[in-house]
Amino acid sequence: MNYMRCQLQHLLNPLHIYCRLQQAGLAEPLARRLCDAYERSVYRRILA
């Protein structure tokens, strides 16, 4: 797997996004719902 793809998978990983949302101050349930929707609609289709 090439380097750029690995970096994108790491940075755009739903768990990584969830942690960044939590650090930004979003409530846990909202951050979880946003990441669930993001994973289903974007991450799985493009990067996984």
Side-chain angles (χ1 to χ4, degrees):
M1 198 178 282
N2 73 34
Y3 178 76
M4 181 67 86
R5 182 175 171 94
C6 288
Q7 290 297 346
L8 281 173
Q9 280 184 320
H10 172 72
L11 291 174
L12 299 176
N13 183 301
L15 182 57
H16 189 84
I17 301 289
Y18 171 79
C19 291
R20 301 296 79 79
L21 289 173
Q22 288 274 276
Q23 284 182 339
L26 255 64
E28 186 269 334
L30 178 57
R32 184 177 295 194
R33 283 195 308 269
L34 287 173
C35 285
D36 284 345
Y38 162 74
E39 181 178 10
R40 285 190 306 275
S41 63
V42 177
Y43 186 77
R44 286 185 189 171
R45 293 173 192 239
I46 294 175
L47 294 173

